[in-house]
Amino acid sequence: MLTKRIIPCLDIKDGRTVKGINFLNIRDAGDPVELGSLYAQHGADELVFLDISATNEKRKTFASLVKDIARHINIPFTVGGGISSVQDVAPLLEAGADKVSINSAAVRNPKLIDDLSRAFGSQCIVLAIDARTVNDNWLVHTNGGRQATDIRLFPWAKEGQERGAGEILFTSMDHDGTKAGFATEALNALHNLLNIPVIASGGAGNKEHFVEAFTKGKADAALAASIFHFREVDIPDLKLFLKNNGVNVRL
Amino acid sequence: MNLVLIKYNAGNIQSVSFALERLGISFNITDDAEQIRKADKVIFPGVGEASTTMTFLKEKKLDQLIKSLTQPVLGVCLGMQLMCRFSEENNTPCLGIFDEDVKRFIPESTMKVPHMGWNKLLLREDSWLNPELSDQYVYFVHSFYVPVNRYTSALTDYINPFSAALKKDNFYGVQFHPEKSASTGELVLKSFLDL
């Protein structure tokens, strides 16, 4: 039986992990390779590395970092941040990334999804969607959530699938940072709407929240950042807890 | 041991190379027929689409070469699928080493396609895979599959049971990605390298 996936997300700026990271027994918590390897050893099923560097110049550093990650980490990983063309993606996949995530650029130019899935295969194209509720409607936001659009979440996710996305990474901005749980209702609606996997993101605060994302939300995978970085939730503990609550995971 | 990784437009060459490096194995990446023929073992990687990949292999005359090899050859993911007779992915005639056809997964309500993530290996008796791999999880990403057949060495269940690993004579195949399957994947590569 296919297992549910746990995915730590690392934000990278100028080649270093950002957000205060509170790890003992790690030489350099700012080193994405070392932190990623540690998560892989702890039983993370995949990793996401998101480049939040501000300039294209700094992004070039990222491609060489991707190669370093691929050299040392023996589980699949997705990279994203500022990808807007086929030319952006080729070097990342050649460097050893398994998937790329696209977000704002796909909203501005939906054909990008078709182009990328045709060039590299749907399996490596993750459509990341940031959305929040405005007057009871889930509206898509771009530019790291700063820019509102009038695009609705569900039709956009469906369009993404039809254009060739292989996965949807849905971040609920309503829940992100609250530590009050994932957007289980919206996740469940996405599950019913789509026949590609859905990754839940935003709101993880404790182990029960992951159980809810997988049971009520029917998510295929769940992503979190700070609770893993600050060791509020330990991945081996979390996976055992999931298993004991009837969620099929890789132990 | 003289190990060769066949160089072509496969998407996972870099990842397979890194996995071999992590094992401390030396190898050559080449599309040179002579070097491939002389190798003790050959790995045929693969991520991509069947028809364009077959066209590429034919242009490079690698299709006839791979079929004619007599040393152990391991096909990974698309590499294994291309070693079959025919793929439903754009109705592509393949190498025909395994006389089996590659089918498309039909999505079911709760079962999504691609089959993406970690799933369990069930080893058949006399499998070439290390017995410790029984019931272990490995990483899959695929929308097409090889049905269970007489060459099946390990199977996995998703929508229906399918071949996770194959073997016929000197030809071996795995549908999953050992290069991305953590320490379990390393044991799979070792199973082949230790043959």
Side-chain angles (χ1 to χ4, degrees):
Chain A
M1 198 172 150
L2 186 64
T3 59
K4 301 291 189 181
R5 289 171 279 151
I6 297 296
I7 310 178
C9 177
L10 288 78
D11 285 349
I12 311 292
K13 193 175 184 193
D14 308 341
R16 307 275 296 165
T17 51
V18 294
K19 290 185 180 170
I21 286 167
N22 178 21
F23 264 109
L24 299 172
N25 309 322
I26 185 162
R27 209 157 27 92
D28 178 3
D31 177 2
V33 175
E34 192 162 355
L35 189 57
S37 303
L38 190 71
Y39 284 135
Q41 284 163 27
H42 284 185
D45 296 300
E46 284 181 30
L47 297 168
V48 170
F49 296 88
L50 213 51
D51 184 25
I52 57 167
S53 302
T55 64
N56 288 331
E57 192 50 44
K58 294 280 169 60
R59 287 223 173 85
K60 285 181 189 148
T61 330
F62 190 56
S64 66
L65 174 63
V66 169
K67 193 160 183 175
D68 214 25
I69 293 167
R71 192 186 300 277
H72 292 98
I73 291 181
N74 58 10
I75 60 170
F77 66 95
T78 302
V79 297
I83 292 168
S84 59
S85 68
V86 169
Q87 290 76 6
D88 289 342
V89 170
L92 298 172
L93 295 179
E94 279 162 22
D98 299 279
K99 312 181 207 178
V100 294
S101 74
I102 49 171
N103 192 332
S104 305
V107 174
R108 286 192 292 271
N109 169 27
K111 196 176 157 286
L112 178 64
I113 308 170
D114 306 66
D115 294 346
L116 293 179
S117 65
R118 206 162 301 137
F120 307 107
S122 287
Q123 83 289 340
C124 63
I125 309 304
V126 181
L127 177 61
I129 306 177
D130 298 334
R132 67 155 31 113
T133 49
V134 178
N135 301 325
D136 291 334
N137 287 314
W138 280 99
L139 293 185
V140 175
H141 286 58
T142 60
N143 298 63
R146 292 186 296 275
Q147 182 77 48
T149 73
D150 55 7
I151 298 165
R152 297 192 178 200
L153 166 65
F154 298 107
W156 174 232
K158 182 88 176 167
E159 183 180 343
Q161 169 180 300
E162 278 156 14
R163 287 180 179 274
E167 254 180 327
I168 301 288
L169 166 55
F170 163 55
T171 301
S172 164
M173 296 166 60
D174 291 353
H175 297 74
D176 203 21
T178 65
K179 299 198 177 179
F182 292 93
T184 51
E185 281 180 32
L187 285 165
N188 189 284
L190 284 171
H191 167 81
N192 290 329
L193 179 71
L194 303 172
N195 54 31
I196 56 175
V198 176
I199 306 168
S201 162
N206 60 40
K207 292 183 279 191
E208 285 81 3
H209 293 152
F210 287 88
V211 175
E212 288 165 6
F214 294 129
T215 53
K216 292 185 192 155
K218 301 271 166 59
D220 298 281
L223 176 144
S226 62
I227 58 156
F228 294 138
H229 302 330
F230 291 106
R231 301 202 76 168
E232 289 161 31
V233 171
D234 230 17
I235 293 172
D237 275 359
L238 170 61
K239 291 187 101 177
L240 201 59
F241 185 80
L242 287 166
K243 190 183 170 71
N244 292 338
N245 282 276
V247 178
N248 190 31
V249 289
R250 176 180 69 110
L251 287 177
Chain B
M1 182 182 55
N2 172 4
L3 174 68
V4 154
L5 191 54
I6 297 180
K7 180 178 163 184
Y8 73 112
N9 65 340
N12 60 341
I13 286 195
Q14 183 76 83
S15 304
V16 174
S17 323
F18 284 150
L20 293 169
E21 276 178 35
R22 287 193 294 268
L23 287 172
I25 306 286
S26 59
F27 57 94
N28 289 319
I29 305 177
T30 183
D31 56 3
D32 177 74
E34 200 46 41
Q35 279 197 55
I36 295 171
R37 251 189 225 107
K38 280 198 311 208
D40 299 317
K41 278 183 184 149
V42 174
I43 296 181
F44 176 37
V47 165
E49 188 275 326
S51 67
T52 44
T53 309
M54 274 308 296
T55 306
F56 186 89
L57 290 174
K58 281 181 188 162
E59 277 168 14
K60 293 252 177 185
K61 298 196 166 58
L62 287 168
D63 57 330
Q64 292 304 320
L65 174 71
I66 293 168
K67 277 161 72 168
S68 71
L69 294 174
T70 54
Q71 67 274 60
V73 179
L74 175 66
V76 176
C77 195
L78 181 66
M80 176 184 108
Q81 294 188 356
L82 294 181
M83 284 155 77
C84 293
R85 183 171 49 203
F86 177 84
S87 173
E88 285 185 4
E89 188 171 21
N90 293 315
N91 294 323
T92 307
C94 301
L95 299 174
I97 293 164
F98 300 107
D99 47 352
E100 295 293 330
D101 295 344
V102 183
K103 309 266 189 211
R104 179 188 292 274
F105 276 128
I106 309 296
E108 286 181 6
S109 59
T110 60
M111 308 285 248
K112 301 178 175 177
V113 175
H115 172 224
M116 184 186 288
W118 298 80
N119 206 334
K120 206 179 255 191
L121 288 178
L122 299 168
L123 263 52
R124 275 198 167 166
E125 222 172 295
D126 300 328
S127 173
W128 60 276
L129 293 162
N130 186 317
E132 285 175 34
L133 289 162
S134 190
D135 288 335
Q136 294 298 303
Y137 287 100
V138 288
Y139 191 81
F140 291 88
V141 184
H142 59 129
S143 301
F144 296 82
Y145 70 96
V146 180
V148 174
N149 63 72
R150 62 195 158 126
Y151 308 118
T152 303
S153 314
L155 43 104
T156 294
D157 196 1
Y158 190 72
I159 301 179
N160 44 257
F162 67 87
S163 295
L166 295 175
K167 178 194 185 300
K168 181 195 175 194
D169 306 325
N170 59 314
F171 292 98
Y172 300 78
V174 289
Q175 176 60 66
F176 52 90
H177 290 279
E179 73 278 17
K180 290 289 174 177
S181 296
S183 52
T184 308
E186 287 164 10
L187 197 52
V188 171
L189 290 172
K190 279 188 200 148
S191 297
F192 175 72
L193 297 169
D194 292 345
L195 283 170

